[in-house]
Amino acid sequence: MSIVVNNLSYALPDGTSIFSNISFSIGRQSRCALVGANGCGKSTLMDILIKKLAPGGGEMFLSDSPYLVPQHYGQYDSLTVAEALGVDRKLTALHSIISGDASEENFILLEDDWSVEERVRSALDFWGLNHVTPDTAMSSLSGGEKTEVFLSGISIYNPEIILLDEPTNHLDEDARTKLYGFMETVPATVLAVSHDRIFLNRFSEFYELSDKGLRLYHGSFEEYLAAVENENLALVRHADCLRKELRKEKMIAREVAERQQRHNSRGQRHSEKKCVARIAMGNLKNKAENSTARLAGSHQVKIERLSDSVSEAYSAIRDIKKMVVDFSSSDLHAGKVLLEAHGVNHGFGNGKFLWYEPLDFTIRSGDRIRVTGSNGSGKSTLMKIITGDLIPVCGSVVKSGNLRHAYLDQDYSLIDDSLSVSGQILRYNHGSLPEHELNTRLNRFLFPKSAWDKPCAALSGGEKMRLSLCCLMVADNAPDIIIADEPTNNLDLYNTEVLVDTLNSYSGTLIVISHDTSFINRLSLGIELSL
């Protein structure tokens, strides 16, 4: 076995449990995917496996130090590529020896790894990073290029265990295709966290992490989804049966109470006719009341137990329809010209333009547009020009009136991390909806009362996405344009489904940037703008 984990637990400093007593084992050169909802602890488990975090309990055994391709790269922006990959000291020692400094310290640092520079260069070239050197600053690279730098490390180190945390998030289609093929040839144990369906279809074992623990599913990704759906249908049937039993028990309790009440009334009338003494009648009345109370109490205990079981059963159901999405329609008629771009181009002060040819395009109400292009082609820059946040160096952009737009990016930047969940909703309450209506909307978007005071900074990617959509629902009018810029990068499979349903229900203009092919294919985008 490459990885063996026994009874592993982890909790936040405030005592909140992320997961507890999970156990699993992964064989040598196995390909396993780790799936689960946002916030269930997938990245935390990865950090424990590389010993970045210490578990609260349990033990683990790994056959070798794992190599991690991380999901986020902000902590590396102050480093060079060599430093981020951990080869800077070896390269420095190698260059010193070549220059004549044959000190013992340099030989110790090099560890007889005379091919390290050649492997670094070859690995970077394989991922199309010909322009990147070991001295290149990580901060100067795009998100996709940073991912490719860490993927290069696999060929540099040839590790026995590879951990991948959302490796396709920032990659363009060409790089994703290269990754798919590359991972099939690597002779290593692979544990991957991903929401990329095409990537997941290359795995045959799926560990699902949830608040109920860790569960293993064998088979393809489609078979995993089918198994989950079958389980869900069984949960629905079980919950419905419990609900029927609860309804029946309430009816029985009501009939028993009414029957007992009639019996007590008849007994009292009979005693009165027989002129039973007042004290005796009082005793009979007390006995009748006690009997009624015992019957009612017996049924009430059963009803309460069934009510708890029904609530628990329905809460276990994975139901995307529990979140009701209801976009109001944009008040612009279909086909109205919203924006015209003529000869648009942009540069960054070095005399070079971003696009080889200036851009000319028209956006109309109701258009559903996909913007394509490789990493660094200027897709996000173009979105800023469309929204007016950036003025192009040349050309003109003519807008029709005061267009309302919503920008859904991978960081969900319309969310203010300094606010609470309820405070964020209040900011978008332009129509002065009453408090109870705002609370109803929050519940519809799966934010129960216990989450209303939660700081937005503590929300997962999926929670921020749902809160962003809730804000748009609360606002007076639907935006004329929704721009979705890599919106699925931080979403689990469930929240991706929520987003797909939402965008498909939206009747205004939709502009999407995404390298997630399965996500794109479900949005019916009829227009392509290629950069």
Side-chain angles (χ1 to χ4, degrees):
M1 290 291 176
S2 288
I3 302 175
V4 178
V5 169
N6 293 319
N7 298 318
L8 207 64
S9 299
Y10 186 80
L12 298 176
D14 64 2
T16 302
S17 175
I18 302 301
F19 50 74
S20 60
N21 300 320
I22 63 171
S23 300
F24 64 94
S25 59
I26 301 176
R28 292 183 183 276
Q29 297 190 18
S30 294
R31 300 288 196 270
C32 298
L34 180 63
V35 295
N38 286 130
C40 70
K42 300 186 295 294
S43 293
T44 298
L45 178 56
M46 292 290 205
D47 284 339
I48 290 174
L49 291 176
I50 64 169
K51 298 184 178 179
K52 181 180 178 181
L53 292 176
E59 56 185 1
M60 58 184 188
F61 305 94
L62 286 81
S63 62
D64 189 22
S65 297
Y67 179 84
L68 173 68
V69 177
Q71 180 179 1
H72 303 292
Y73 307 109
Q75 68 270 35
Y76 301 102
D77 279 349
S78 62
L79 306 178
T80 64
V81 167
E83 289 169 338
L85 289 172
V87 294
D88 53 307
R89 299 180 72 188
K90 278 190 177 184
L91 290 175
T92 300
L94 175 63
H95 292 159
S96 296
I97 292 171
I98 292 173
S99 299
D101 183 359
S103 65
E104 183 180 359
E105 181 183 0
N106 283 330
F107 281 96
I108 291 174
L109 289 173
L110 185 59
E111 297 178 321
D112 282 337
D113 191 359
W114 297 98
S115 65
V116 60
E117 187 169 34
E118 181 182 343
R119 293 201 315 279
V120 169
R121 185 67 268 159
S122 176
L124 292 174
D125 289 345
F126 175 82
W127 289 102
L129 299 175
N130 312 76
H131 58 293
V132 174
T133 70
D135 294 327
T136 299
M138 288 290 288
S139 59
S140 68
L141 303 178
S142 68
E145 289 170 331
K146 290 174 184 177
T147 300
E148 289 166 337
V149 164
F150 282 98
L151 289 172
S152 299
I154 296 174
S155 298
I156 295 170
Y157 287 102
N158 294 312
E160 287 185 22
I161 302 172
I162 301 170
L163 307 180
L164 306 170
D165 195 354
E166 298 288 2
T168 64
N169 266 3
H170 304 280
L171 299 181
D172 58 30
E173 289 187 46
D174 289 342
R176 286 187 180 214
T177 300
K178 183 176 289 188
L179 174 63
Y180 301 152
F182 177 72
M183 293 313 303
E184 291 178 357
T185 65
V186 174
T189 301
V190 178
L191 177 62
V193 173
S194 180
H195 68 271
D196 181 342
R197 288 170 176 254
I198 296 176
F199 186 51
L200 289 173
N201 271 319
R202 285 160 168 76
F203 291 83
S204 57
E205 293 183 343
F206 296 86
Y207 280 103
E208 184 182 72
L209 184 60
S210 69
D211 55 2
K212 296 177 180 61
L214 192 70
R215 184 171 179 184
L216 175 61
Y217 293 82
H218 292 283
S220 68
F221 180 61
E222 298 303 327
E223 289 172 328
Y224 157 72
L225 292 178
V228 168
E229 180 61 23
N230 288 335
E231 290 174 4
N232 213 40
L233 291 173
L235 289 172
V236 170
R237 288 193 292 269
H238 175 62
D240 287 344
C241 286
L242 288 174
R243 186 175 62 178
K244 290 177 182 177
E245 189 177 345
L246 175 61
R247 190 185 302 123
K248 181 179 179 181
E249 185 61 32
K250 286 180 176 179
M251 183 177 67
I252 292 173
R254 185 166 56 251
E255 290 174 350
V256 168
E258 291 172 352
R259 187 164 58 248
Q260 185 67 27
Q261 187 64 40
R262 289 194 299 271
H263 176 75
N264 292 344
S265 297
R266 284 196 301 270
Q268 185 175 355
R269 288 195 300 271
H270 182 69
S271 298
E272 289 172 349
K273 286 182 180 179
K274 295 180 70 173
C275 299
V276 177
R278 181 176 298 177
I279 293 176
M281 283 185 65
N283 290 335
L284 289 171
K285 182 179 180 181
N286 288 338
K287 284 184 177 180
E289 289 176 349
N290 290 337
S291 177
T292 301
R294 281 195 301 274
L295 282 169
S298 173
H299 284 289
Q300 187 59 35
V301 168
K302 190 170 183 179
I303 287 171
E304 289 177 357
R305 187 172 65 248
L306 278 170
S307 295
D308 290 341
S309 297
V310 169
S311 297
E312 184 178 345
Y314 276 108
S315 67
I317 297 171
R318 317 178 200 205
D319 184 8
I320 189 173
K321 301 305 179 187
K322 286 191 288 189
M323 197 189 87
V324 182
V325 177
D326 182 25
F327 261 126
S328 58
S329 298
S330 171
D331 54 11
L332 298 175
H333 66 79
K336 176 181 173 64
V337 174
L338 304 184
L339 180 147
E340 290 183 288
H342 304 286
V344 168
N345 214 327
H346 196 67
F348 298 96
N350 56 4
K352 294 182 179 180
F353 286 116
L354 182 56
W355 299 297
Y356 182 74
E357 293 285 347
L359 304 179
D360 295 279
F361 58 87
T362 300
I363 296 176
R364 293 180 171 83
S365 178
D367 283 350
R368 298 178 71 82
I369 304 167
R370 181 188 183 187
V371 180
T372 62
S374 59
N375 288 330
S377 62
K379 298 185 294 294
S380 294
T381 299
L382 179 59
M383 295 306 101
K384 292 177 182 177
I385 291 174
I386 289 174
T387 60
D389 294 328
L390 193 63
I391 305 299
V393 170
C394 64
S396 63
V397 175
V398 180
K399 295 184 180 180
S400 174
N402 185 26
L403 294 178
R404 300 183 303 271
H405 73 270
Y407 201 104
L408 296 177
D409 59 359
Q410 58 189 292
D411 298 317
Y412 299 98
S413 52
L414 64 79
I415 300 295
D416 187 339
D417 282 346
S418 68
L419 298 176
S420 65
V421 168
S422 57
Q424 175 71 31
I425 284 296
L426 283 172
R427 172 171 288 187
Y428 280 80
N429 188 23
H430 308 313
S432 300
L433 292 172
E435 183 179 359
H436 70 85
E437 178 62 25
L438 293 178
N439 294 340
T440 299
R441 300 286 180 97
L442 284 171
N443 274 306
R444 282 170 55 189
F445 280 81
L446 312 185
F447 288 100
K449 185 176 181 179
S450 59
W452 296 347
D453 292 328
K454 187 175 182 179
C456 291
L459 299 179
S460 68
E463 289 171 326
K464 285 189 175 183
M465 184 275 292
R466 294 201 309 272
L467 187 56
S468 298
L469 297 177
C470 189
C471 287
L472 297 182
M473 300 294 173
V474 166
D476 268 343
N477 297 303
D480 301 314
I481 301 175
I482 290 181
I483 298 174
D485 189 351
E486 297 290 1
T488 64
N489 273 5
N490 298 315
L491 298 187
D492 58 34
L493 295 166
Y494 172 85
N495 284 298
T496 298
E497 293 299 319
V498 170
L499 183 59
V500 168
D501 268 18
T502 302
L503 296 182
N504 278 332
S505 72
Y506 170 65
S507 61
T509 301
L510 178 63
I511 304 175
V512 180
I513 299 172
S514 179
H515 297 303
D516 188 338
T517 304
S518 61
F519 170 67
I520 287 292
N521 288 343
R522 287 178 288 161
L523 290 181
S524 302
L525 303 173
I527 301 172
E528 181 171 327
L529 179 57
S530 181
L531 300 181

